[in-house]
Amino acid sequence: MIFNSHSPEETQKIAADLAHKIIKIKKGAIIALEGELGAGKTVFVKGFAKALGIKSKIKSPTFVLMKKYQVSEDINLYHLDCYRVKDEKDLKIPEMKEIMTMSHNIVLIEWAERIRKILPKKFISVHIDHVSENERKISIT
């Protein structure tokens, strides 16, 4: 699916729609976010988290690598930012494999291309491209 977004609010709406689809099927998901610096990956995560009812202020965990948010009693949202990670060997999160394999977890990974080797076979790819200063092309596969 390809979407054109003309504002951060539109990007968040696209993310919210994806979040609702994932929650509806009652399964976890790995969402690999890719795109240039400033493309809107964190904006996408904010819209996704808000749609799940998360009230916390969402900031990219660039320095702590990962933040965990409880969506419900049995669903957790993990937000990773791999900008400072060179590759999967540089990702120092011991429980990462367990987090990605638990069927009720939703994991959003910014700069996912840097750890592609450890992503499961099935994941959702969200690629965000700059079209202009205010327009983004969002490809979800």
Side-chain angles (χ1 to χ4, degrees):
M1 298 179 286
I2 297 176
F3 303 91
N4 284 314
S5 171
H6 299 91
S7 69
E9 294 77 21
E10 281 187 36
T11 297
Q12 289 183 352
K13 170 77 170 83
I14 293 165
D17 290 345
L18 179 60
H20 290 296
K21 287 177 185 174
I22 290 170
I23 287 296
K24 195 174 194 179
I25 61 171
K26 297 182 181 179
K27 285 179 84 176
I30 308 297
I31 302 166
L33 294 148
E34 300 176 350
E36 300 170 331
L37 192 63
K41 295 177 293 295
T42 304
V43 170
F44 191 93
V45 173
K46 288 177 181 182
F48 193 99
K50 184 177 179 183
L52 297 179
I54 295 171
K55 305 274 189 245
S56 302
K57 183 176 171 94
I58 304 294
K59 294 190 316 183
S60 208
T62 306
F63 295 100
V64 295
L65 292 179
M66 181 175 72
K67 289 188 179 176
K68 176 183 175 182
Y69 305 92
Q70 190 160 7
V71 176
S72 67
E73 191 174 302
D74 59 341
I75 299 173
N76 292 310
L77 174 70
Y78 291 88
H79 178 200
L80 281 83
D81 185 335
C82 295
Y83 180 73
R84 295 179 58 234
V85 174
K86 188 173 83 175
D87 59 27
E88 69 283 347
K89 294 174 197 138
D90 203 22
L91 187 63
K92 306 288 191 233
I93 302 173
E95 67 274 17
M96 194 66 230
K97 186 175 182 177
E98 181 182 310
I99 288 168
M100 286 200 283
T101 57
M102 294 185 74
S103 64
H104 59 276
N105 288 334
I106 300 171
V107 184
L108 290 111
I109 308 167
E110 296 187 48
W111 299 95
E113 65 274 15
R114 296 183 182 192
I115 62 164
R116 186 171 301 278
K117 288 183 181 178
I118 64 167
L119 293 179
K121 288 181 183 178
K122 291 185 178 185
F123 64 89
I124 298 167
S125 175
V126 176
H127 190 91
I128 306 174
D129 288 307
H130 284 97
V131 175
S132 67
E133 185 179 334
N134 295 317
E135 186 179 356
R136 303 293 187 265
K137 180 176 113 179
I138 302 172
S139 304
I140 302 175
T141 55

